[in-house]
Amino acid sequence: MSDETAPPRLSRRALLGAFGAGAAAAAVATTGAAVAVSRSTTDSSAAGYQQRFYGDHQHGIATPMQDSLHFVSLDLVTRSREDLVAMLRRWTVAAAALTAGRSVGDDLAAPYDAPPPDSGDALDLPPSGLTVTFGIGPTFFRAPDGTDRFGVAARQPDRFAQLPVFRGDHLDPAICGGDLCIQVCADDAQVAVHAVRNLVRLSAGVARVRWTQLGYAKSSATDHTGPTPRNLMGFKDGTANITVDDHAALDRFVWAQSGDGPAWMDGGTYLVARKIRMTIENWDRTSLREQEGVFGRTKRLGAPLSGGDEFAPLDFTLEGADGEPLVPTDSHVALAHPSVNDGLRILRRSYNYTDGSDDLGRLDAGLFFVAFVRDLDSQFVAMQRRLARADRLNEYVRYLSSAAFAVPPGVGPDGGYVGETLFA
């Protein structure tokens, strides 16, 4: 949580009351809806705990992780480029308002006999560090028959495509892919759900929901505050993750740079989303020796089996009395380590999930894996192929969904919209 300034938290109602005093309001009329936004130059100091929306990169990536996730994938139902751009404009204005703890639209200006522009379920809640991140799927550019859907097919990055099906995947097509995605994170689950609910309302007639996923209890460390989070197998997750203040690593491994591909993606990144169900009941019947061998780390402290504390470097050369490596070569940490992946790293931003129980009474739960990379093939696909072939963890997990999205760069504060560089 980005609370370094820790200002008092203000509710949406209080913020709305404060608008008339100093914020400049702007309204963007769009096809079928109008969204009002007030801009403040003091995002965090004057309006409670909130993330800054405008910037070179979209937020929700190099941002300290919040407690809750609501991820939604959408399919486009329009053939109109104008309608699509209008929706992206509506989303941008709404996301800026929601991030600042404000409502979508202006209830006072709305007709009394019409539905209110905002659903109202977060009116008394603080901003809660809300972030909204938008992505574009490979199918956004071309229809299945190869048709250029919106006149931007030639601008699709060369190597940006659907993720391959990896060995051991048990994918459900209904929860894979999508033309667009919205990742919403917040420290209050209701604030996150409210944001998705209203953004989806603003997409009416242009896009429809394909699949969604709720997540809780962040399962990756992206900053140095607090202990490393644990996954539902009880192990610390993301000890060696890229942190939000490691700008050199972010530039090298996360943000698309000039020359990487089309210029419209400069400052953007690529998002990978994979739903990984854990066979919890099997895991809970497994010995601690086996569990620690699977991860290559101790369960309680998260330390490498080669010794030291949680953050000690792994030593893959040390052997036990039986002559076997202390860190098994097929352990998860050994196969995911940068030393066997050409030094490459990824930014993980994953959440635990629980979808109740299945028909046999087993816990339907696991990890909603989210990662951001500068290059999908060399960073994620290559590593996942290695894990799919040999990772001991595969015995205890099932990969159910898979999707990749291009995340355009951030939005400037002067009337721009997310994805604008693609359509320029």
Side-chain angles (χ1 to χ4, degrees):
M1 187 173 75
S2 179
D3 60 352
E4 59 272 15
T5 54
R9 298 186 175 190
L10 300 180
S11 70
R12 284 165 168 74
R13 179 170 295 169
L15 288 165
L16 286 168
F19 276 169
V28 177
T30 59
T31 56
V35 181
V37 61
S38 299
R39 299 194 181 106
S40 168
T41 57
T42 54
D43 286 352
S44 61
S45 60
Y49 166 54
Q50 60 185 254
Q51 300 290 347
R52 185 179 297 275
F53 177 76
Y54 298 103
D56 294 338
H57 313 291
Q58 289 196 55
H59 62 180
I61 305 166
T63 304
M65 286 188 69
Q66 305 92 324
D67 292 335
S68 299
L69 163 79
H70 192 163
F71 193 97
V72 58
S73 167
L74 304 102
D75 285 335
L76 290 164
V77 296
T78 184
R79 296 182 179 179
S80 166
R81 174 175 169 139
E82 290 71 27
D83 287 351
L84 171 59
V85 170
M87 182 192 71
L88 294 174
R89 288 184 179 277
R90 290 196 297 271
W91 275 1
T92 302
V93 175
L98 293 166
T99 300
R102 302 195 295 270
S103 299
V104 174
D106 184 350
D107 285 344
L108 298 178
Y112 193 58
D113 292 325
D118 189 287
S119 56
D121 42 313
L123 274 176
D124 300 313
L125 299 177
S128 303
L130 178 80
T131 55
V132 184
T133 312
F134 299 98
I136 297 170
T139 52
F140 178 97
F141 297 90
R142 296 181 189 275
D145 63 0
T147 304
D148 185 348
R149 299 180 73 182
F150 303 105
V152 293
R155 310 192 76 181
Q156 181 174 353
D158 287 342
R159 295 188 295 176
F160 177 49
Q162 302 281 13
L163 293 174
V165 177
F166 299 99
R167 181 178 180 179
D169 277 1
H170 296 75
L171 303 180
D172 178 354
I175 54 174
C176 291
D179 296 334
L180 295 164
C181 78
I182 309 173
Q183 175 197 255
V184 174
C185 303
D187 284 326
D188 185 323
Q190 184 161 333
V191 170
V193 172
H194 165 263
V196 168
R197 175 181 177 181
N198 284 277
L199 290 168
V200 169
R201 290 180 72 198
L202 292 171
S203 72
V206 182
R208 65 186 173 204
V209 173
R210 180 180 177 89
W211 55 270
T212 66
Q213 183 63 52
L214 298 175
Y216 67 95
K218 57 188 177 183
S219 185
S220 302
T222 57
D223 58 52
H224 301 290
T225 60
T228 304
R230 293 181 185 270
N231 57 39
L232 295 184
M233 289 177 160
F235 278 77
K236 293 188 175 184
D237 210 331
T239 295
N241 201 18
I242 297 172
T243 52
V244 298
D245 59 353
D246 190 348
H247 300 293
L250 291 168
D251 285 341
R252 182 179 177 189
F253 299 116
V254 178
W255 305 129
Q257 304 292 323
S258 177
D260 285 353
W264 68 267
M265 271 295 291
D266 291 355
T269 184
Y270 295 91
L271 183 158
V272 174
R274 307 251 297 166
K275 185 175 183 177
I276 307 171
R277 180 174 175 177
M278 298 171 177
T279 54
I280 297 290
E281 288 74 15
N282 291 344
W283 181 255
D284 288 345
R285 292 193 292 268
T286 303
S287 70
L288 180 58
R289 178 186 300 276
E290 167 67 6
Q291 291 186 3
E292 293 192 339
V294 166
F295 278 96
R297 290 183 177 274
T298 63
K299 190 167 189 175
R300 180 168 295 278
L301 299 178
L305 294 183
S306 53
D309 62 17
E310 177 187 351
F311 300 100
L314 288 105
D315 189 338
F316 298 111
T317 66
L318 287 180
E319 297 179 347
D322 58 0
E324 296 295 323
L326 289 176
V327 180
T329 56
D330 58 354
S331 63
H332 186 71
V333 70
L335 292 170
H337 196 268
S339 64
V340 297
N341 290 286
D342 298 324
L344 298 175
R345 303 169 65 191
I346 63 175
L347 171 60
R348 298 183 53 174
R349 220 171 182 283
S350 306
Y351 284 83
N352 297 326
Y353 79 86
T354 303
D355 290 344
S357 300
D358 64 16
D359 294 341
L360 299 177
R362 299 173 300 193
L363 193 61
D364 186 355
L367 180 76
F368 189 68
F369 174 90
V370 176
F372 295 91
V373 296
R374 178 177 168 184
D375 184 272
L376 281 171
D377 284 349
S378 64
Q379 289 177 259
F380 177 75
V381 174
M383 181 182 68
Q384 186 56 37
R385 283 190 168 131
R386 187 171 292 107
L387 291 168
R389 282 195 300 268
D391 191 356
R392 286 172 66 175
L393 184 60
N394 293 338
E395 181 178 347
Y396 302 98
V397 298
R398 299 290 182 270
Y399 294 92
L400 303 180
S401 75
S402 187
F405 298 92
V407 178
V411 180
D414 299 321
Y417 62 93
V418 66
E420 182 177 23
T421 54
L422 173 60
F423 290 97

